[in-house]
Amino acid sequence: MRLRNIFSLNIFAVIAGGLLVIAAPALAGPPLICHAIDIGAEQSLPWTSTGWNLSGQEQYDVSRLVPDTLALLTPSAPVLLRMETLRRATLYGQQQTAVAKELLLRLEARTRENPKDGLAAFDFGYLVECYKQASWLHQHTDWLKASGDAPRANLAAKIDGYSWVLKAIALRGSDPEMEFAAALMTTEGARSEHDRHLQNAMAGAKADAMLARNLSSRFPKNAA
């Protein structure tokens, strides 16, 4: 597995000792899962937790996760909204393996049905990498250990989600928000790739206030 697609074990080991299971936001943690995307007033999946993780008190019906998620991933939905929706879908999907698998398969099917649709490629690739990070947390930390029906297997283990995001960027021609997503995926790995994605995102943020806020939050030294 390419190192650019996952956090190194050393970094995860540092944050594993209880930091990931608290509800309050933290600076450490896998970037696609442990940090919400600022979507402003955009509507995503219901979210009542005060932190990045589920509190256990949510009343959302997970059996509706697939149709609700697909309904939000419209052609007009901004990429940042897609990122946060897929992050929430990943967390909710940890409660029911069958639902998580169905969502993955449905997004994969959309890439086959629409091979030149950059958004379909992005959604599938981003969900894949979210699943990988959620699986790592589940296996190597206390996250969800008390949940008897949480997924045990990495449903996306053999899929390179980053390559799908690269394909999406190529299909779109230029998309700073997708570049931001790719920058988050390459936090560990080839530095040149990460820097290239981050620079492209920062250049596009001049005309995208929401992206600028997210860049400032995630990469404050670069966005300053």
Side-chain angles (χ1 to χ4, degrees), residues 10-84:
N10 288 336
I11 292 178
F12 273 133
V14 172
I15 61 177
L19 182 60
L20 298 174
V21 298
I22 60 177
L27 295 178
L32 306 187
I33 294 296
C34 291
H35 307 272
I37 299 294
D38 181 353
I39 58 173
E42 297 282 356
Q43 296 299 308
S44 183
L45 293 169
W47 193 259
T48 59
S49 175
T50 57
W52 71 270
N53 198 7
L54 299 174
S55 67
Q57 304 301 314
E58 290 80 13
Q59 300 299 312
Y60 179 65
D61 182 0
V62 178
S63 69
R64 292 198 47 80
L65 182 64
V66 174
D68 286 354
T69 301
L70 294 177
L72 287 162
L73 300 177
T74 65
S76 62
V79 170
L80 292 174
L81 173 60
R82 307 176 96 87
M83 292 166 66
E84 177 61 13

Side-chain angles (χ1 to χ4, degrees), residues 118-136:
L119 291 175
F122 177 83
D123 293 342
F124 179 56
Y126 199 81
L127 185 70
V128 163
E129 295 306 311
C130 284
Y131 276 17
K132 287 181 180 179
Q133 293 190 5
S135 178
W136 198 100

Side-chain angles (χ1 to χ4, degrees), residues 132-152:
K132 287 181 180 179
Q133 293 190 5
S135 178
W136 198 100
L137 288 175
H138 182 66
Q139 294 176 32
H140 298 281
T141 75
D142 290 333
W143 184 52
L144 294 180
K145 281 293 191 295
S147 179
D149 61 350
R152 301 293 176 180

